[in-house]
Amino acid sequence: MKDDHYTVVLVYSTSHALRAEKVLAEVGIDCKLIPVPRQLSSDCGVCVRVRAADRKATHKALNEVGLEIEGMYDI
């Protein structure tokens, strides 16, 4: 993923992040689990990074399986 513009998807737990990664892979969206950027949260945790261009498709895919997200942020 060599894109300078990406979106991070914050979820409520590590298990949600792992599930999101699996769902996105199944629909062909390239993603990566990364630590939550400090400017978004001081909590320890994992979030999912996707290309900014995949933001809408990511939201749709996660919504379709009922996976709740804490937020999506463009970085």
Side-chain angles (χ1 to χ4, degrees), residues 10-14 17 33-37 41-48:
L10 272 58
V11 291
Y12 292 101
S13 69
T14 302
L33 295 181
I34 63 168
V36 174
S41 175
S42 61
D43 292 341
C44 250
V46 179
C47 64
V48 182

Side-chain angles (χ1 to χ4, degrees), residues 36-74:
V36 174
R38 285 199 181 265
Q39 68 262 35
L40 299 179
S41 175
S42 61
D43 292 341
C44 250
V46 179
C47 64
V48 182
R49 183 178 79 179
V50 297
R51 288 186 303 264
D54 290 331
R55 181 186 176 110
K56 282 186 179 182
T58 296
H59 189 269
K60 181 180 179 199
L62 298 179
N63 191 46
E64 285 179 355
V65 298
L67 198 146
E68 289 186 44
I69 61 172
E70 211 173 318
M72 296 179 82
Y73 302 91
D74 293 325

Side-chain angles (χ1 to χ4, degrees), residues 2-50:
K2 291 231 178 201
D3 195 344
D4 288 343
H5 303 287
Y6 60 93
T7 296
V8 291
V9 182
L10 272 58
V11 291
Y12 292 101
S13 69
T14 302
S15 63
H16 284 102
L18 293 168
R19 182 167 179 229
E21 180 184 39
K22 181 179 178 184
V23 167
L24 296 175
E26 287 174 356
V27 297
I29 296 173
D30 189 28
C31 66
K32 182 177 182 177
L33 295 181
I34 63 168
V36 174
R38 285 199 181 265
Q39 68 262 35
L40 299 179
S41 175
S42 61
D43 292 341
C44 250
V46 179
C47 64
V48 182
R49 183 178 79 179
V50 297

